[in-house]
């Protein structure tokens, strides 16, 4: 992947917002029924049922002491069929690589050897801190138990903070903290934890773009607490800023969600 030295004021601004969002603020408990309803609303906000979805993604990866690199991709989703296709469009060294999910299986295609290999929702996209799971519908209400739900002021946003514990096997993270704005059910921040309670990743979604009844993140910031290095005595972690643009809800051909399509688009 080509490394680029570039100014990233938006990335730094998002990082500062994430720090601000984690400041402790007084909280009030939310009733069990209200919490359950809001978590289902949050799940619904991540899905686009009844329509296809397509968008361009720009992933700016920042590695401490190494500068920044940029990966671009186009994604197609058909949430009714639990299918998606991700095509890497840049940099040139990664162009033609792709992911396709159908029949509950995820496949990665590398044009260098013209082979598909089995992948998972936890695999990193082109060496960034993002995974396919970051861009697909969530099912927190079905896969997690609500341990607590309290109101919390995060920056300028009034949110409900959930502490969730997995109640089924096969989840990427056994414990999650989730901040959701109750008026619209949008997820504003997420923290992923290990079984021992170690913070693994933080994801901030400071802004959304509205398309009729659908809300799509404008930007996302992922900070990976497992990947970083000390610089001048201070620990700095890898982070990826994601920008989503050129959103479309137009119907796609069925062939878009096939291995043959990914292979064809890699040429």
């Amino acid at each position: 992947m080509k490394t680029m030295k570039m100014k990233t004021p938006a990335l730094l601004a998002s990082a500062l917002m994430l720090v601000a969002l984690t400041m402790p603020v007084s909280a009030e408990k939310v009733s069990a029924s209200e919490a359950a309803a809001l978590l289902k609303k949050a799940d619904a906000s991540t899905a686009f049922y009844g329509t296809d979805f397509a968008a361009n993604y720009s992933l700016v990866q920042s590695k401490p002491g190494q500068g920044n690199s940029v990966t671009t991709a186009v994604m197609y989703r058909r949430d009714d069929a639990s299918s998606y296709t991700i095509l890497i469009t840049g940099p040139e060294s990664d162009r033609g690589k792709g992911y396709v999910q159908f029949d509950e299986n995820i496949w990665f295609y590398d044009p260098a050897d013209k082979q598909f290999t089995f992948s998972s929702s936890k695999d990193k996209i082109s060496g960034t801190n993002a995974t396919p799971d970051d861009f697909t519908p969530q099912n927190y209400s079905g896969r997690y138990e609500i341990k607590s739900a309290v109101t919390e002021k995060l920056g300028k946003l009034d949110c409900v903070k959930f502490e969730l514990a997995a109640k089924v096997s096969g989840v990427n993270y056994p414990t999650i903290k989730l901040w959701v704005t109750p008026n619209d059910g949008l997820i504003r921040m997420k923290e992923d934890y290990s079984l021992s309670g170690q913070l693994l990743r933080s994801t901030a979604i400071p802004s959304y773009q509205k398309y009729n009844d659908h809300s799509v993140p404008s930007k996302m910031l992922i900070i990976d607490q497992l990947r970083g290095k000390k610089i001048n005595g201070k620990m700095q972690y890898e982070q990826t800023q994601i920008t989503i643009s050129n959103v479309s809800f137009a119907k796609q051909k069925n062939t878009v969600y096939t291995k043959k399509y990914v292979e064809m688009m890699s040429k």
Side-chain angles (χ1 to χ4, degrees):
M1 183 183 300
K2 184 177 179 181
T3 300
M4 303 175 61
K5 292 184 177 180
M6 56 191 298
K7 296 180 180 180
T8 56
L11 184 63
L12 295 176
S14 295
L16 291 174
M17 169 170 272
L18 180 59
V19 172
L21 290 178
T22 57
M23 293 175 63
V25 185
S26 59
E28 296 181 1
K29 288 184 178 180
V30 177
S31 72
S33 60
E34 289 177 330
L38 180 57
L39 192 59
K40 287 183 179 180
K41 188 175 181 180
D43 285 340
S45 75
T46 68
F48 308 117
Y49 295 120
T51 182
D52 283 7
F53 167 83
N56 291 340
Y57 286 73
S58 172
L59 297 84
V60 179
Q61 173 78 0
S62 177
K63 293 187 176 183
Q66 299 182 41
N68 303 318
S69 59
V70 180
T71 297
T72 56
V74 59
M75 181 173 197
Y76 302 94
R77 280 171 46 182
R78 181 171 290 171
D79 294 346
D80 286 329
S82 297
S83 298
Y84 67 75
T85 295
I86 301 174
L87 303 174
I88 307 299
T89 57
E92 192 61 35
S93 59
D94 287 339
R95 184 179 177 86
K97 295 179 180 179
Y99 300 83
V100 60
Q101 174 176 285
F102 58 88
D103 295 335
E104 299 184 356
N105 293 313
I106 303 173
W107 299 92
F108 171 72
Y109 181 73
D110 189 341
D113 55 18
K114 298 182 180 180
Q115 294 288 329
F116 282 92
T117 56
F118 185 73
S119 184
S120 81
S121 61
K122 292 181 67 174
D123 287 351
K124 309 292 185 182
I125 296 177
S126 292
T128 68
N129 306 114
T131 70
D133 193 52
D134 294 316
F135 309 131
T136 54
Q138 303 300 312
N139 184 21
Y140 298 120
S141 58
R143 306 177 82 184
Y144 288 85
E145 177 186 0
I146 300 174
K147 305 302 290 185
S148 69
V150 297
T151 61
E152 189 164 280
K153 188 86 170 179
L154 303 180
K156 296 181 179 180
L157 299 174
D158 293 316
C159 291
V160 172
K161 175 187 175 183
F162 291 90
E163 293 194 19
L164 307 175
K167 60 183 181 182
V168 297
S169 60
V171 297
N172 291 344
Y173 303 100
T175 305
I176 287 176
K177 292 182 181 178
L178 206 64
W179 284 257
V180 179
T181 39
N183 60 315
D184 51 22
L186 298 180
I187 297 169
R188 302 295 180 164
M189 189 168 76
K190 180 169 74 84
E191 291 181 347
D192 304 316
Y193 290 83
S194 68
L195 194 59
S196 65
Q198 180 184 4
L199 176 61
L200 304 176
R201 295 199 323 162
S202 301
T203 302
I205 311 176
S207 61
Y208 282 81
Q209 44 197 317
K210 190 77 172 177
Y211 296 90
N212 295 323
D213 295 331
H214 301 302
S215 295
V216 180
S218 300
K219 292 184 182 294
M220 301 170 62
L221 178 69
I222 299 172
I223 298 178
D224 192 333
Q225 271 79 14
L226 295 182
R227 301 166 72 177
K229 65 184 297 186
K230 277 191 175 182
I231 297 180
N232 297 325
K234 184 177 181 180
M235 192 65 188
Q236 298 184 23
Y237 296 100
E238 290 186 16
Q239 55 188 36
T240 301
Q241 179 179 261
I242 301 150
T243 302
I244 303 170
S245 61
N246 296 328
V247 172
S248 170
F249 292 97
K251 178 75 172 180
Q252 303 295 326
K253 294 181 179 179
N254 293 339
T255 53
V256 168
Y257 306 100
T258 63
K259 286 182 176 180
K260 184 176 290 187
Y261 182 80
V262 174
E263 196 171 13
M264 179 182 69
M265 296 303 293
S266 71
K267 298 177 181 178

